[in-house]
Amino acid sequence: MDILALTTGFVVGAFTGAAGSYLGNKYTDKRRNSEEMASAAKDFSNLESKFPRIIQEMREDVKNPKLSGVRIFFVKEKSTMLNFNEPHFVYYTDDHPELSAALSAMEDLGYIRDITPGNCPQYRFVEKFYDVLKNGA
């Protein structure tokens, strides 16, 4: 067996294997990303269909140009007082009886984070969810 033929066969085989692996990973990653995006859109659509009023109110809040930097919101009853000096959103349990269930669903989906330091429930929008609310799904 000729050493040149052996070396050429090895190089061509290694190149073919590397190219096949690269292309396989590339297209698998594209498929996986498109599946994740479809799943995320479906999750948001399901959330919106279950809790349309609170999602609509959140959309209106994040589209307010005066509050464009706000990511924090509180959940409370209208009759209670809140002492917080930074700009924030407030959602009232009086207006949204389903608010607790909506917040649990949002937390499960990773859309919000509970950052409550005291007695009044305080949450932070995750940036991806904020962008979906602001720009649409």
Side-chain angles (χ1 to χ4, degrees), residues 7 10 19-20 30 32-33 39 55-56 64 75 83 90 110 117 128 135:
T7 304
F10 176 76
K30 281 186 177 181
R32 191 174 297 129
N33 286 341
S39 176
I55 295 295
Q56 182 59 36
N64 183 344
V75 175
N83 186 14
V90 178
K128 286 182 182 180
N135 303 321

Side-chain angles (χ1 to χ4, degrees), residues 54-105:
I54 188 64
I55 295 295
Q56 182 59 36
E57 185 174 341
M58 287 178 169
R59 270 200 169 117
E60 291 168 6
D61 286 344
V62 300
K63 288 181 180 181
N64 183 344
K66 294 177 183 175
L67 300 171
S68 63
V70 175
R71 302 294 187 272
I72 304 236
F73 66 93
F74 290 91
V75 175
K76 66 183 210 70
E77 293 177 357
K78 286 184 177 180
S79 62
T80 60
M81 297 295 292
L82 179 64
N83 186 14
F84 192 72
N85 295 329
E86 298 176 26
H88 58 276
F89 303 120
V90 178
Y91 302 106
Y92 298 104
T93 55
D94 306 0
D95 293 341
H96 303 285
E98 75 286 357
L99 188 56
S100 179
L103 295 173
S104 293

